[in-house]
Amino acid sequence: MKATARNIPATVPSGPAPARRECAVEHVVHSDVVASAAQGSPIDASKVSRLVIVRASDGGQLRTVLTGTKVVRTIAYPSRRYRCVRYGEAETECSMIEQQEVCPVTVAAISQPMRIEALVDGVWLRTIVDASVLRVNGERALVECKRDWSGFRTRDGAIQTFLGGLAAGALGWRYERRVLAHSGSPRRRANVGEVASCRFINVSDSLVSRVTRLLAGGPVALQTLGSILHNDPANGRARAFALMARRIVDIDLDGPLDGRAECRAAPVAIGRLPSLRR
């Protein structure tokens, strides 16, 4: 059951002032949602009395200033598909951001979209979830990233899982945990990087129309698709990659990115999709 909500003043976390204006919404804590989130968790479901979800006022990424105090990789990734700079830290989250740039079923994605706060036995527990995602079938999910599954078995990881599941349940979304292995084989990760590197290459509307008509007839080889886009093979290939970043083309990234790589039409979202920003 989706939780009802009411606006309340944003809580003030400890430490430096937040980089963006915030909007906090308190959600009614339904017992079935709490019980589901607390399964296998160190949290006593009976002690949860309040749930607050804090977002940036514009609905975008909540945290955009990375301090650099952790010894992990951090990125500010310019996204062509989502038309913003996406900030992330640690290998799994950074890899996910790049993968979402070319994923054929991902319609929208926001990095670090909300802070989840729960009052448990008189103590506020807080976490910022790593990502939210909207897919072509209308499914929305909150995603938490760790390098491997052991990260979720620590006490902090278990609390993050509980808070993420609690918020997802209140919103009526899915909650997903992601580890680096979900990014696929080294070949796939290299292919994702190569395709994403072409994301800002311009492709005219007339060429997009030609490609759409071509793929309506079924899959074609990358070499065939590239020849439609440019008479120079390298330029045609780069434009095909750009169209994958625009979610027009779906290229097989698990095999070699040679002329025989299969290219399909990206799946079409049917009907009006919900928003990740509310």
Side-chain angles (χ1 to χ4, degrees):
M1 180 186 299
K2 187 174 181 180
T4 57
R6 61 184 177 87
N7 289 322
I8 64 170
T11 56
V12 180
S14 59
R20 309 188 70 182
R21 295 185 62 184
E22 298 179 350
C23 177
V25 174
E26 181 162 2
H27 290 252
V28 175
V29 183
H30 293 293
S31 58
D32 57 340
V33 170
V34 179
S36 176
Q39 276 192 330
S41 166
I43 303 299
D44 183 347
S46 66
K47 301 293 180 65
V48 180
S49 57
R50 296 179 68 186
L51 171 65
V52 177
I53 296 178
V54 183
R55 307 192 199 211
S57 296
D58 65 359
Q61 182 159 344
L62 180 66
R63 184 165 68 117
T64 59
V65 178
L66 301 180
T67 63
T69 57
K70 297 179 182 178
V71 189
V72 294
R73 177 189 176 196
T74 60
I75 61 170
Y77 188 88
S79 170
R80 195 279 177 200
R81 180 179 293 191
Y82 309 116
R83 300 183 182 278
C84 65
V85 176
R86 302 186 67 194
Y87 297 84
E89 62 182 21
E91 196 65 27
T92 304
E93 186 180 348
C94 294
S95 175
M96 175 187 65
I97 288 172
E98 188 170 52
Q99 297 244 350
Q100 288 174 340
E101 190 71 12
V102 299
C103 178
V105 300
T106 302
V107 177
I110 304 173
S111 298
Q112 301 177 7
M114 63 185 68
R115 186 169 68 250
I116 304 162
E117 306 183 345
L119 186 60
V120 183
D121 197 18
V123 177
W124 283 101
L125 302 178
R126 297 180 174 90
T127 190
I128 296 179
V129 71
D130 288 327
S132 60
V133 60
L134 170 66
R135 302 187 173 106
V136 292
N137 62 359
E139 177 183 78
R140 290 177 287 185
L142 296 180
V143 185
E144 186 67 39
C145 298
K146 300 290 182 190
R147 184 170 186 85
D148 52 47
W149 292 110
S150 65
F152 290 106
R153 291 193 290 268
T154 65
R155 179 171 177 80
D156 285 348
I159 290 174
Q160 286 177 315
T161 296
F162 166 73
L163 293 175
L166 187 62
L171 293 168
W173 299 9
R174 285 175 53 85
Y175 176 68
E176 299 173 354
R177 300 186 299 175
R178 183 183 178 93
V179 296
L180 189 57
H182 285 124
S183 296
S185 66
R187 167 178 278 174
R188 179 178 179 83
R189 293 177 66 186
N191 287 347
V192 166
E194 184 176 353
V195 171
S197 70
C198 298
R199 62 192 182 277
F200 288 108
I201 292 175
N202 183 59
V203 183
S204 69
D205 291 342
S206 61
L207 284 176
V208 171
S209 295
R210 289 184 64 187
V211 167
T212 301
R213 290 194 299 270
L214 174 67
L215 295 180
V220 300
L222 179 58
Q223 183 176 8
T224 302
L225 181 62
S227 67
I228 296 292
L229 291 165
H230 203 280
N231 56 14
D232 174 71
N235 283 328
R237 171 188 173 94
R239 288 182 175 184
F241 293 166
L243 292 183
M244 188 167 189
R246 290 171 59 176
R247 222 181 63 75
I248 294 168
V249 177
D250 178 10
I251 304 172
D252 178 16
L253 300 181
D254 288 312
L257 275 183
D258 56 22
R260 295 170 294 177
E262 186 177 85
C263 303
R264 302 167 292 274
V268 177
I270 300 176
R272 184 174 181 178
L273 295 176
S275 172
L276 285 178
R277 297 176 181 266
R278 56 180 181 272

